[in-house]
């Protein structure tokens, strides 16, 4: 049982790759929280809203519309990845090494390197800046991503440091990692936010690139250990908003009475807007809904799940009756 930092100096120097530390989060666990987004994810969800977190390595974001033609990136790029095509600034990503040199003096913000390496101490120092908000609201730190348990050493070090500092801890996970990763940190986690994207194995593989067998096995093992778990249900119109999936969620919840409940996460198009500036060609995005679901649609999902005995919590549940 590793419930405290064995060597605070050593563990504070452990490094990991993150792409955002988001302060004043209010939807990633109880109270006011700081959410640390880890790089790297084993899944390739067609509706991913954080595509910048999929790869473990940094990625270069480029928005040509913001370019003011200062020429800085052309001068410093050793790979000659930046080019003028006619009167348009283009980026040849086959040459780009995502070194970040071109971003250092891009005052217009057209170029941004997303993802960096940080130590446990560096991240925790930033998290602790909002300690008064955690104390008054019952908040704390949440690890998200990507998939935080892919970087299990870093996750363990950060969770250990957070617990030593007296913070409430939460981890959002897709579940697609070896059970050993869960067992390594479970004594340090106060709340699990566990994504259930699709209950049908074949459709789960269609939507995410992998089946759900390991995910569900980990979920049941975690529940069996007595962990506090809140299911998160991303619902996407035309893909998994099926009666069969809702029935599958109800069946799953029925065999795990210790769950805190489930939260409906309606689809939004934030991830779609990121694809072009990250240079990601996602043909499967053509199947995505053109807009977020209406309040009436979400209310219908909530009613269907509730009618089948699923205990729903969260802002969507509260506003949908």
């Amino acid at each position: 049982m590793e419930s405290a930092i064995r060597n605070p100096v050593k563990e504070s120097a452990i490094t990991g790759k993150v792409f955002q530390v988001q302060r004043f989060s209010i939807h990633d666990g109880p109270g006011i929280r700081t959410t640390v987004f880890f790089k790297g994810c084993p899944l390739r969800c067609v509706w991913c809203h954080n595509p910048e977190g999929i790869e473990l390595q940094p990625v270069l974001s480029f928005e040509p519309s913001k370019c003011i033609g200062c020429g800085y990136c052309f001068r410093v790029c050793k790979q000659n990845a930046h080019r003028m095509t006619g009167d348009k600034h283009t980026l040849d990503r086959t040459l780009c090494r995502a070194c970040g040199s071109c971003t250092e003096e891009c005052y217009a913000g057209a170029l941004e390197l997303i993802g960096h390496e940080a130590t446990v101490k560096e991240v925790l120092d930033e998290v602790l800046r909002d300690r008064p908000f955690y104390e008054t609201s019952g908040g704390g730190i949440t690890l998200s991503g990507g998939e935080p348990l892919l970087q299990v050493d870093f996750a363990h070090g950060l969770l250990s440091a957070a617990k030593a500092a007296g913070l409430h801890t939460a981890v959002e996970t897709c579940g697609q990692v070896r059970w050993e990763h869960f067992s390594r940190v479970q004594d340090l986690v106060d709340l699990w936010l566990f994504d259930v994207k699709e209950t049908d194995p074949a459709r789960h593989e269609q939507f995410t690139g992998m089946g759900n067998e390991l995910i569900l096995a980990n979920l049941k093992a975690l529940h069996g250990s007595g962990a506090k778990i809140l299911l998160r249900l991303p619902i996407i119109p035309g893909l998994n908003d099926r009666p069969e999936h809702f029935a599958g969620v109800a069946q799953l919840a029925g065999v795990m009475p210790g769950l805190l409940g489930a939260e409906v996460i309606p689809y939004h198009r934030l991830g779609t807007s990121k694809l072009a500036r990250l240079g990601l060609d996602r043909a499967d995005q053509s199947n995505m809904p053109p807009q977020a679901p209406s309040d009436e649609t979400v209310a219908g999902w909530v009613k269907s799940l509730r009618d089948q005995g699923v205990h729903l919590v969260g802002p969507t549940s509260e506003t949908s009756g």
Side-chain angles (χ1 to χ4, degrees):
M1 179 174 176
E2 298 178 279
S3 58
I5 300 178
R6 294 180 176 180
N7 186 331
V9 174
K10 182 178 179 180
E11 293 211 19
S12 67
I14 294 174
T15 63
K17 294 181 173 66
V18 301
F19 65 92
Q20 187 179 10
V21 178
Q22 180 176 295
R23 300 167 65 189
F24 214 85
S25 298
I26 57 173
H27 297 303
D28 295 326
I32 296 170
R33 313 188 69 80
T34 294
T35 303
V36 182
F37 291 90
F38 283 49
K39 289 279 283 175
C41 185
L43 301 183
R44 298 295 183 269
C45 302
V46 298
W47 55 76
C48 180
H49 65 279
N50 283 333
E52 69 271 43
I54 293 176
E55 300 299 332
L56 185 61
Q57 300 304 318
V59 292
L60 185 65
S61 170
F62 175 44
E63 293 186 76
S65 62
K66 291 186 177 181
C67 178
I68 59 175
C70 70
Y72 174 78
C73 55
F74 294 91
R75 295 193 299 273
V76 300
C77 181
K78 295 181 180 179
Q79 305 299 325
N80 295 317
H82 294 273
R83 300 175 178 176
M84 288 301 296
T85 303
D87 60 352
K88 185 178 180 182
H89 178 184
T90 61
L91 173 65
D92 186 342
R93 290 186 180 271
T94 64
L95 299 177
C96 178
R97 298 294 178 265
C99 67
S101 296
C102 61
T103 69
E104 293 176 1
E105 294 188 30
C106 182
Y107 301 114
L111 293 158
E112 178 188 3
L113 191 65
I114 302 179
H116 64 280
E117 194 159 345
T119 67
V120 165
K121 183 180 185 305
E122 288 170 339
V123 174
L124 188 67
D125 283 348
E126 185 167 356
V127 170
L128 290 177
R129 292 168 62 186
D130 286 342
R131 183 194 285 274
F133 294 107
Y134 313 145
E135 293 175 345
T136 57
S137 70
I141 182 175
T142 299
L143 310 190
S144 186
E147 170 51 57
L149 295 187
L150 280 185
Q151 299 186 62
V152 69
D153 290 341
F154 185 54
H156 180 273
L158 187 53
L159 289 167
S160 296
K163 292 305 292 181
L167 300 186
H168 180 278
T169 60
V171 172
E172 181 176 14
T173 179
C174 72
Q176 184 65 35
V177 296
R178 298 195 307 272
W179 170 250
E180 289 79 7
H181 291 212
F182 282 93
S183 61
R184 174 90 186 278
V185 303
Q186 69 178 118
D187 292 327
L188 301 167
V189 181
D190 295 313
L191 173 66
W192 293 92
L193 305 173
F194 203 112
D195 292 351
V196 174
K197 303 173 189 295
E198 171 59 66
T199 49
D200 179 83
R203 294 179 71 90
H204 192 282
E205 183 171 1
Q206 176 187 351
F207 297 148
T208 74
M210 290 187 174
N212 63 1
E213 295 84 359
L214 177 61
I215 294 170
L216 295 182
N218 284 334
L219 172 59
K220 292 174 181 177
L222 198 62
H223 174 267
S225 74
K228 293 183 178 180
I229 306 170
L230 177 65
L231 298 186
R232 283 195 153 181
L233 310 175
I235 307 296
I236 294 79
L239 296 186
N240 65 350
D241 61 336
R242 304 173 300 114
E244 296 84 357
H245 175 48
F246 293 161
V249 170
Q251 182 179 21
L252 192 61
V255 298
M256 292 188 291
L259 292 175
L260 299 180
E263 181 179 6
V264 170
I265 311 294
Y267 170 73
H268 59 73
R269 293 184 58 81
L270 177 62
T272 302
S273 66
K274 298 177 181 179
L275 295 177
R277 58 187 176 91
L278 296 173
L280 298 177
D281 181 16
R282 296 288 300 275
D284 47 26
Q285 280 288 324
S286 62
N287 297 322
M288 291 297 98
Q291 58 189 16
S294 67
D295 291 343
E296 291 76 14
T297 296
V298 175
W301 298 340
V302 168
K303 183 178 187 305
S304 177
L305 288 163
R306 277 185 170 157
D307 286 348
Q308 297 179 73
V310 179
H311 173 57
L312 294 179
V313 300
T316 301
S317 173
E318 294 167 4
T319 58
S320 300

